[in-house]
Amino acid sequence: MKAAVLSLPILWLLRRIFLPYLWKDIDFFYRSTRYLKFVENSLNSDPPFLMLDMFYQQVSSRPQKTFIFYQDEVYTYKDIDLKSNQLAWTLKQYTKLQEGDCAAVFLGNEPAFIWTWLGLAKIGCPMACLNYNIRAKSFLHCFKSSGAKVLIAAPELQDAVEEVLPALVEDGVQVFYLSRESPTIGVDSLLDKMDFASDESVPRSYRSQVNGQSSALYIYTSGTTGLPKAAIISQGRLLISSSISTLSGLTSEDVLYIPLPLYHSAGLMIGVRGCIQQGASLVLRKKFSVSQFWDDCRKYNVTVFQYIGELLRYLCNTPKKDNDKDHCVRLAIGNGLRADVWKEFIQRFGDINIYEFYAATEGNAAFFNYTGKVGAIGRTSFLFKFFRPYQLIKFDVEKEEPVRDNAGHCMNTANGEAGLLIGKITEKTPFVGYAGDKSQTEKKLLIDVFQKGDLYFNSGDLLMEDKDGFIYFHDRVGDTFRWKGENVATTEVADVIGMTDFVEEANVYGVAVPFHEGRIGMVSIKLKEGKNFDGEKLYAKVVEYLPNYARPHFVRLQDAIEVTGTFKQRKVGLVQDGFSPLTIKDPLYVLDENEKCYKPLDLSTYNALVDRKSKL
Ligand SMILES: *[C@@H]1O[C@H](CO)[C@@H](O)[C@H](O)[C@H]1NC(C)=O
Ligand SMILES: *[C@@H]1O[C@H](CO)[C@@H](O)[C@H](O)[C@H]1NC(C)=O
C-alpha cells in the first residue's frame, strides 16, 4: 500500500522528466490521422466528396445558421447557397466559361468573395484570387499566369481595372464589375444580371469532371525571383487545408473573425474553408481596423480569430481600455507571433489560447504548436515524421544553396542549428507547382538530396529544431522578406527602382527594425555616371508601381554593388549593416510620406525609429 502511494508521485515525476509530451504527441497524432483518413475517404468516394459537397451538407443540415456577418448584414448558409446559384447561372448565360476554365476575382474582404467562389465551384471553374493591391504590370502578370477568361472586380477598383483593360480586351477576357451598372466602356455589370437569374440549384453535370486533382484555386505567393507566382491549389489540397482549423478545435458553435485578406491562403483556405468544414459562422470586414477590432469581437460575439504576428502587436500598441477583457474570444489561430508579444497580449486581453502553425501556401510540410511551448511553431515526433517526411538541411546563406558533401549529398543539421526546411514529395505529400511558367515550379524542387533521384520541395525557410523536438522559425532565405504580413520579392522591387533614370543598379533587401516583426525594405543604389540622387523622383516611381508594404523605406548609396562568385548580388552583409547612420558611412535616405520624397536620414529620425517614437 505504502509503496503504491509512493510510486505514484515518482511515476508522475518520471513522466515529467522523460516523456513530458508523449500524451500530447499521441493525442495530436491520433487526431491528425483521423483527419487524414476523412480526406482519403472523401477523395476515394464516388463521386468524390469535395469542398462544395461539404458546403451542401451544411446547407441541408443548418440552412438558417449564420454563415457570414458583414457590417450590419447577416447571411445564412442558405442565403449564400442561393446567391452562388444566381452567380453560377449568370456566368453560364453571359460568359463562355466552361468546366475547368478559370475566372479571376479582384475583390476586397466581402461576402461576394465567398459566394463567387462557391458559384464558380458549382460550374466546375477554379478561381484565381488576385491581391487587390497589385497594379499595372504585376496585375497583368498575375492575371495571365492563371489563364483566366473572366475577371470579376469590385467597382471601387475601377482605376486599376481601367489601367489594364486594353490588354485584357486584346486577349478576349470578359470583365465585370460587381455592381448594377458600369461606368467603364468594355466592362459589364454583374449584379443587375444576377437579380434576374434563377436561384435553382446547379446540376452536378456542370462539374462532372472535377476530382481531387482538379485545380480549385490559384493563390499568389511572392517567389524568390521576379513577379508573384500563382500556386495551384488542388481540390485535394483544399480538403486537407482545413485540418488546421479542425485540429485547433474550431467547432460549429464558433464565430470566426477573419481580419486577414481572403486572397491569401490563411484567410480563404484555413478561415473560410474551416468554417465550411465545421458549419461555423464567420465575420468579414473590408479592411482590418485596429481601433474597431475588439468592438467587432463584442458586436458579433466572436470566439475565435485569425492573426499574423503583426496584428497582435498592433492591438497591444493601442491605448489601454477598461473593457479590454470584455469579450468572448477563446482561441486565436495564426503565425509569426513572437514570444514577447504573446505574453503582453495575454496579460492585457485575457486568457486566449494561441494556436500557432507553420505552413506555406504551396508547400508540403506543416507544423502545429499543440504543446504550448512559447516561441515554438510546432513540434516533431517520430510519428509525425513518418507521415510528413520533412528534413532540415545545412544551407550556405552566402551562396544561397544547400551545402553538399563530396558525394554531392545534402546534410542534416544538428539540433540547435538552423537549416533549410525541405519536404519529401510523395503521393501523399505532393507539390502541385505553379500555373504558367514551368521553370518556376522546377526552381522549388531539390533533386538528388540524400540519394540519386529523390525529390524534395524547397520551402525557402530556415527552421531550427531543438533537442526536445520543438521547431522554431529562424529566417527566410534568398530573395524575399516579409513585412506587414506580406512577402516582398526583392527582384520585383529592384526592377521598379531600376526604371528611374539615375539608377545604374539596385540591390533590394530587408532589414530588421527593433520592436517589429519581419523586415522592412531597404535598397542599395549605385548611381549612373554623372547623375545625382533625386529623392522625389524615386518616391514618385515607387508609389506608382509598388504596394505600400513593398516600398523600400531606406536607401543607401554605394559606389559599387557587391556580387557573389556566381554574380548574384550580395545581400548578407548589407542586411547585417542595417540602416544606422552611426555605423554606415555611405549616404542614407529615408522615405517621408508627408514630404513625398526620400530625404537624408539624420540621427534624430533614426533615433525616433529605433526608440519606437515614430511609426512605421
Ligand atoms: C451576442 O450574444 C448576445 C447575448 O447572448 C445576444 O443578445 C446577441 O444577439 C448576440 N449577437 C449576435 C450578433 O449574435
Ligand atoms: C503555443 O501554444 C501555447 C498554448 O496555446 C501558447 O501558450 C504558446 O504561446 C504558443 N506558442 C506560440 C509561439 O504561439
Side-chain angles (χ1 to χ4, degrees):
M1 183 60 202
K2 217 173 186 181
V5 170
L6 259 181
S7 71
L8 266 179
I10 290 175
L11 257 178
W12 176 84
L13 201 70
L14 284 177
R15 223 197 67 168
R16 289 283 293 196
I17 295 171
F18 294 106
L19 296 167
Y21 298 103
L22 184 64
W23 171 243
K24 282 184 173 170
D25 285 346
I26 291 174
D27 171 63
F28 179 75
F29 176 75
Y30 170 73
R31 290 187 301 133
S32 44
T33 316
R34 206 172 51 173
Y35 191 81
L36 288 176
K37 191 82 201 143
F38 157 78
V39 170
E40 204 177 310
N41 291 344
S42 304
L43 290 175
N44 289 340
S45 65
D46 186 24
F49 186 83
L50 304 174
M51 181 277 291
L52 184 61
D53 304 290
M54 196 77 224
F55 175 70
Y56 279 136
Q57 188 174 318
Q58 304 298 3
V59 173
S60 70
S61 62
R62 52 187 108 225
Q64 295 316 318
K65 160 104 193 197
T66 300
F67 181 21
I68 305 172
F69 290 106
Y70 177 69
Q71 298 167 353
D72 287 323
E73 301 160 17
V74 178
Y75 299 89
T76 63
Y77 272 87
K78 188 73 196 165
D79 293 337
I80 297 297
D81 184 37
L82 297 179
K83 230 19 208 192
S84 55
N85 287 343
Q86 285 183 300
L87 176 84
W89 289 118
T90 308
L91 292 177
K92 271 284 166 203
Q93 187 180 349
Y94 290 94
T95 71
K96 294 186 286 275
L97 280 180
Q98 295 290 323
E99 180 171 357
D101 290 344
C102 175
V105 292
F106 192 43
L107 300 170
N109 276 23
E110 47 184 311
F113 202 111
I114 296 172
W115 51 251
T116 303
W117 181 29
L118 292 162
L120 285 166
K122 288 177 176 182
I123 54 173
C125 294
M127 177 166 89
C129 307
L130 297 170
N131 176 332
Y132 54 72
N133 293 299
I134 58 164
R135 297 290 180 270
K137 189 178 150 208
S138 269
F139 181 104
L140 285 172
H141 167 84
C142 289
F143 185 87
K144 285 184 180 169
S145 65
S146 72
K149 301 200 163 139
V150 166
L151 172 68
I152 299 173
E156 301 89 80
L157 295 166
Q158 183 184 344
D159 290 348
V161 172
E162 288 179 354
E163 193 177 11
V164 294
L165 189 61
L168 295 179
V169 169
E170 194 174 310
D171 288 345
V173 175
Q174 284 178 284
V175 185
F176 295 92
Y177 289 132
L178 264 186
S179 58
R180 291 201 160 68
E181 47 197 37
S182 163
T184 308
I185 298 169
V187 180
D188 221 334
S189 54
L190 204 59
L191 290 185
D192 53 331
K193 301 182 177 58
M194 277 177 63
D195 287 342
F196 292 101
S198 155
D199 60 11
E200 297 271 304
S201 66
V202 179
R204 189 163 194 121
S205 60
Y206 285 10
R207 53 177 188 285
S208 56
Q209 307 299 316
V210 176
N211 59 34
Q213 278 89 48
S214 309
S215 306
L217 289 170
Y218 296 93
I219 299 228
Y220 294 87
T221 64
S222 268
T224 46
T225 50
L227 296 162
K229 296 175 291 187
I232 305 171
I233 309 299
S234 67
Q235 291 284 352
R237 177 68 200 254
L238 199 54
L239 279 188
I240 293 181
S241 69
S242 71
S243 59
I244 293 179
S245 48
T246 303
L247 292 172
S248 67
L250 187 81
T251 72
S252 62
E253 303 294 306
D254 280 313
V255 179
L256 174 71
Y257 191 18
I258 309 181
L260 312 179
L262 293 179
Y263 58 74
H264 276 335
S265 54
L268 195 62
M269 289 166 60
I270 295 171
V272 180
R273 168 73 189 91
C275 282
I276 293 176
Q277 180 76 20
Q278 310 299 339
S281 309
L282 61 87
V283 179
L284 290 182
R285 186 188 176 86
K286 198 157 256 174
K287 243 186 153 178
F288 168 65
S289 155
V290 191
S291 60
Q292 292 301 304
F293 188 88
W294 292 111
D295 288 338
D296 281 348
C297 288
R298 285 183 276 267
K299 173 173 172 187
Y300 301 110
N301 298 333
V302 169
T303 55
V304 183
F305 70 81
Q306 285 187 280
Y307 70 85
I308 49 172
E310 289 82 346
L311 196 145
L312 298 196
R313 176 186 296 282
Y314 299 150
L315 293 173
C316 285
N317 285 348
T318 56
K320 287 202 166 67
K321 285 188 181 165
D322 290 341
N323 61 353
D324 274 346
K325 288 190 172 141
D326 174 16
H327 58 76
C328 45
V329 176
R330 62 172 185 90
L331 173 70
I333 308 172
N335 47 50
L337 178 58
R338 283 177 21 181
D340 58 334
V341 178
W342 167 71
K343 285 187 187 131
E344 196 179 332
F345 185 80
I346 298 293
Q347 233 167 38
R348 172 141 173 218
F349 298 106
D351 203 7
I352 296 171
N353 219 331
I354 308 254
Y355 197 90
E356 176 95 1
F357 69 89
Y358 165 92
T361 304
E362 75 280 41
N364 62 353
F367 300 105
F368 308 95
N369 166 18
Y370 57 89
T371 50
K373 178 93 170 175
V374 175
I377 55 169
R379 178 172 160 73
T380 185
S381 66
F382 68 94
L383 295 169
F384 182 73
K385 219 160 169 173
F386 180 75
F387 278 87
R388 298 252 134 193
Y390 76 92
Q391 303 281 347
L392 298 183
I393 56 171
K394 286 188 198 289
F395 190 79
D396 185 330
V397 185
E398 283 275 321
K399 289 195 194 137
E400 291 185 356
E401 59 187 35
V403 181
R404 292 192 184 248
D405 63 14
N406 292 336
H409 295 149
C410 296
M411 292 170 279
N412 282 108
T413 49
N415 287 341
E417 183 190 356
L420 179 72
L421 170 71
I422 57 175
K424 186 160 192 171
I425 298 174
T426 64
E427 204 182 315
K428 288 235 164 82
T429 53
F431 167 54
V432 185
Y434 306 103
D437 195 357
K438 256 215 161 74
S439 68
Q440 296 293 354
T441 301
E442 278 154 17
K443 276 187 197 140
K444 291 298 276 184
L445 300 177
L446 269 183
I447 321 177
D448 302 340
V449 178
F450 296 107
Q451 45 186 295
K452 192 137 191 64
D454 62 358
L455 199 59
Y456 281 80
F457 169 77
N458 176 352
S459 72
D461 287 327
L462 296 179
L463 306 186
M464 198 264 283
E465 191 173 313
D466 72 10
K467 64 177 187 354
D468 298 321
F470 289 101
I471 300 187
Y472 302 83
F473 185 80
H474 183 72
D475 206 354
R476 185 166 281 263
V477 298
D479 300 331
T480 55
F481 57 87
R482 250 175 115 73
W483 181 245
K484 302 209 166 168
E486 298 277 354
N487 284 338
V488 181
T490 56
T491 44
E492 189 181 343
V493 179
D495 283 350
V496 169
I497 291 172
M499 294 189 304
T500 19
D501 60 5
F502 57 83
V503 174
E504 163 98 23
E505 196 182 346
N507 185 4
V508 176
Y509 49 97
V511 290
V513 194
F515 309 111
H516 286 83
E517 282 78 19
R519 294 167 187 274
I520 196 167
M522 181 157 182
V523 56
S524 151
I525 291 178
K526 183 186 175 211
L527 296 176
K528 277 193 183 143
E529 195 73 25
K531 295 270 188 185
N532 290 323
F533 179 76
D534 183 336
E536 280 169 35
K537 227 181 215 172
L538 182 65
Y539 180 87
K541 189 67 88 194
V542 157
V543 169
E544 184 181 352
Y545 284 96
L546 295 172
N548 205 335
Y549 54 80
R551 297 172 192 159
H553 200 74
F554 302 108
V555 177
R556 172 174 181 173
L557 298 186
Q558 285 192 296
D559 296 333
I561 303 274
E562 237 189 303
V563 292
T564 65
T566 47
F567 300 104
K568 283 167 88 174
Q569 293 176 335
R570 195 184 290 277
K571 299 185 197 287
V572 181
L574 293 169
V575 170
Q576 279 161 2
D577 287 355
F579 57 95
S580 167
L582 293 168
T583 51
I584 297 171
K585 295 288 161 272
D586 301 321
L588 294 173
Y589 296 85
V590 60
L591 184 145
D592 188 320
E593 304 250 359
N594 296 327
E595 294 179 33
K596 302 202 179 316
C597 73
Y598 283 90
K599 62 170 198 197
L601 173 64
D602 55 32
L603 218 60
S604 69
T605 315
Y606 173 78
N607 285 334
L609 277 173
V610 294
D611 292 343
R612 229 175 169 180
K613 290 211 182 71
S614 68
K615 263 184 141 174
L616 281 176

